[in-house]
């Protein structure tokens, strides 16, 4: 597959498959394990962390004040670009 084809597949998963799975769960914010989920999940803070996100962000600031330990769709990742290469 070409990189463009891979991106097309990822986009379809995010925009077409994930909403179907959300509907099947029967709950609006059913949650997910981040290692089993779509890293491009548009509502990742709520889906992966729920109401705990603000507190987790505080803890991260305390123990990682430079914000260097990041993962895609992880606490604090919104402070970096999509590829986690540059701080926003």
């Amino acid at each position: 597959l070409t990189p463009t084809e891979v991106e097309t597949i990822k986009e379809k998963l995010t925009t077409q498959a994930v909403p179907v799975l959300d509907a099947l769960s029967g709950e609006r914010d059913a949650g997910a394990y981040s290692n089993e989920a779509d890293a491009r999940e548009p509502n990742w803070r709520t889906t992966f962390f729920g109401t705990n996100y603000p507190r987790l962000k505080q803890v991260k600031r305390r123990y990682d004040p430079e914000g260097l330990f990041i993962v895609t769709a992880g606490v604090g990742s919104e402070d970096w670009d999509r590829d986690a290469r540059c701080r926003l």
Side-chain angles (χ1 to χ4, degrees), residues 44-61:
W44 60 269
R45 287 181 200 97
T46 301
T47 301
F48 300 158
F49 304 104
T51 59
N52 299 308
Y53 191 81
R55 176 70 178 128
L56 292 169
K57 184 80 184 240
Q58 289 177 344
V59 171
K60 179 167 179 58
R61 282 190 194 119

Side-chain angles (χ1 to χ4, degrees), residues 52-79:
N52 299 308
Y53 191 81
R55 176 70 178 128
L56 292 169
K57 184 80 184 240
Q58 289 177 344
V59 171
K60 179 167 179 58
R61 282 190 194 119
R62 179 176 180 192
Y63 292 101
D64 182 19
E66 300 300 319
L68 296 177
F69 298 102
I70 57 169
V71 298
T72 303
V75 176
S77 65
E78 70 274 13
D79 298 333

Side-chain angles (χ1 to χ4, degrees), residues 10-54:
K10 288 179 182 179
E11 186 65 27
K12 284 183 180 179
L13 284 171
T14 299
T15 61
Q16 296 175 17
V18 172
V20 171
L21 295 173
D22 285 344
L24 288 173
S25 74
E27 293 184 36
R28 167 76 172 95
D29 295 320
Y33 293 106
S34 59
N35 64 334
E36 296 176 351
D38 181 0
R40 298 161 50 128
E41 160 67 45
N43 301 312
W44 60 269
R45 287 181 200 97
T46 301
T47 301
F48 300 158
F49 304 104
T51 59
N52 299 308
Y53 191 81

